[in-house]
Amino acid sequence: MRSFLLSLVVLLGAVPAFATPSAEQVRQASVVVVSGSADHMDQVLQRAGVAFVVVNPADLPELPLHSRQVLMVNCRGEMSQAARERVRRFVAAGGFLYTTDHAVKELIQPTFPNTIAFNDITTNEADFPLQLRGEEKDRGLLKHLGEQSSQRWQLAGGGYLFKVLDPHNVEVLMESSEVKKQYGTGVLGVRFRYQDGFVIHVTGHFFSQPGQRPELAKAGRAFEQLSQNVVTEKAADGARLDALYNNQAKREVRLQSAPAPSAAPVSASTVTTQSLGTGARVKVLEKKANYARVRDEQGNEGWVEADAL
């Protein structure tokens, strides 16, 4: 695997430290931020006191992302088809994907079609009153948001508003009646499930910049709180994943494209690795004769001999 230039930022009240971490350091990170051209989640996480690594979208296809992580994608969310496929596998395996603004068009629409979509409406920079939606199960994700009637949310200049295509599977977490009044749609944040993972998307660029009006900077604090809540919710997600990925490989085993002794390995373009190491945790998706189709915690899928589990 080629080396990739990554910026490692350790942020627990200390001055940020930059380094070039290895693949193992990426694997150990609880939050992975994908750099972008129009947003800075690193600034948000720095203020929230969260440790993370920053990676380039071009490196995504080879990264050892796994189900215990949060992947945060900065706006614009532009990346190759291979990188989008890696993101899809990451979510399928149980990961949390957290995206902002233009990523609805660049990443969500082509990767998770028929969920949400850019509605061709762009915004001016302003802040608006925020109303929480969601259900009781969303209280952790929305903790400390909307506790004051003065809670506001910041929209970006040139930001993308979006529409919900599948109201049965996409939960509206936050909206604004004032945004709807001005733009015709008021959805600010949603969550939907994809296989074993979740996608959370919000509109706006939420970081304070020098020279911002105080009211805009204050509105950006709502995004900081939501970002911290996402990380906290993921940290509490382990029991759910343990129940899903409850088998382990007893030996190193090749991922096959079909349940037959003569089957070829799965295509290298569809996985990050073509084999499972001893102890790899997997979910059994299907059984056929003496084979099982499995998915590991990185989202790699294929057939293995059942007695290897």
Side-chain angles (χ1 to χ4, degrees), residues 214-246:
E215 59 270 25
L216 286 177
K218 184 178 180 181
R221 300 295 184 265
F223 180 73
E224 292 176 26
Q225 182 63 60
L226 177 62
S227 302
Q228 190 171 20
N229 290 349
V230 170
V231 175
T232 301
E233 284 292 287
K234 188 55 183 170
D237 191 42
R240 181 183 72 92
L241 294 173
D242 287 342
L244 291 172
Y245 291 77
N246 58 357

Side-chain angles (χ1 to χ4, degrees), residues 111-126:
T111 311
F112 308 98
N114 304 314
T115 55
I116 59 176
F118 175 44
N119 61 5
D120 298 316
I121 298 174
T122 58
T123 61
N124 296 315
E125 185 178 68

Side-chain angles (χ1 to χ4, degrees), residues 173-184:
L173 299 174
M174 303 175 296
E175 59 185 354
S176 172
S177 57
E178 291 299 315
V179 172
K180 184 176 182 179
K181 186 176 180 180
Q182 179 165 330
Y183 292 104

Side-chain angles (χ1 to χ4, degrees), residues 134-152:
E135 302 175 7
E136 185 61 33
K137 65 180 181 297
D138 302 313
R139 291 307 97 188
L141 193 59
L142 300 175
K143 187 177 180 181
H144 301 311
L145 286 169
E147 292 182 347
Q148 300 177 359
S149 60
S150 61
Q151 181 75 73
R152 302 179 74 83

Side-chain angles (χ1 to χ4, degrees), residues 88 107-117 165-166 170 192 194:
R88 186 200 66 79
L107 176 58
I108 303 300
Q109 284 180 219
T111 311
F112 308 98
N114 304 314
T115 55
I116 59 176
L165 302 179
D166 184 356
V170 177
F192 62 86
Y194 177 77

Side-chain angles (χ1 to χ4, degrees), residues 77 126 134 154 183 202 218 278:
Q154 178 186 343
Y183 292 104
V202 294
K218 184 178 180 181
T278 303

